Amino acid sequence: MSVMSVDFSSLHRLGWRPHFQSQLAPDHTCEPARIMGVRVEVATESGHSFVDLHPQSASLGLTVGDWVILDKSGLRITERLQPFGIFQRRAAGSTAERQAIAANVDTLFIVTSANRDFNIARLERYLAI
């Protein structure tokens, strides 16, 4: 399927914005998709599917919520669009590397236990982040 025939308004329900549209070349022929899970599940206007991470796409630093471009077959990620926002944390270990948790988040719910483990200071830290 050619992206030229994609009704981008139908991608709006997945979070598509003009921010991403502006990153596409006018003559693009690939399909935009949003990463939906860590198994590289993507959603397009055609529905959900799983794509392979080839060595080239594995180096893109993908995370849940990213918008990507699929090749013409729809089976391979060719490009990651620049996110408008990203949640990240310091990666485990002694290095100063950052680990992406989610990208392009519009709404976030913070849920905490109300049992003995409830900690108001922890909740305040989550809200501050």
Side-chain angles (χ1 to χ4, degrees):
M1 177 174 140
S2 171
V3 170
M4 299 304 285
S5 66
V6 172
D7 175 12
F8 287 104
S9 64
S10 69
L11 292 175
H12 180 71
R13 63 182 171 78
L14 297 173
W16 186 258
R17 295 177 173 210
H19 171 82
F20 304 115
Q21 180 72 36
S22 69
Q23 297 177 54
L24 298 178
D27 60 345
H28 61 283
T29 59
C30 298
E31 184 172 19
R34 189 160 195 188
I35 294 182
M36 303 300 287
V38 294
R39 290 184 58 206
V40 192
E41 177 184 6
V42 297
T44 66
E45 75 167 347
S46 308
H48 289 244
S49 63
F50 292 92
V51 297
D52 295 327
L53 269 185
H54 295 275
Q56 174 187 343
S57 55
S59 66
L60 296 174
L62 303 174
T63 192
V64 172
D66 271 332
W67 280 95
V68 296
I69 300 298
L70 304 177
D71 66 4
K72 291 179 183 180
S73 70
L75 299 175
R76 188 169 168 213
I77 296 170
T78 61
E79 182 182 353
R80 173 183 176 245
L81 298 180
Q82 187 66 32
F84 65 80
I86 190 160
F87 282 109
Q88 58 186 356
R89 67 177 188 168
R90 194 180 87 206
S94 59
T95 65
E97 292 181 42
R98 306 300 288 173
Q99 178 184 14
I101 298 171
N104 305 311
V105 176
D106 292 322
T107 305
L108 176 71
F109 291 93
I110 298 175
V111 179
T112 186
S113 173
N115 65 12
R116 290 186 214 173
D117 191 37
F118 179 77
N119 183 314
I120 192 70
R122 180 186 314 126
L123 183 58
E124 289 172 345
R125 285 193 306 272
Y126 291 160
L127 289 171
I129 291 172

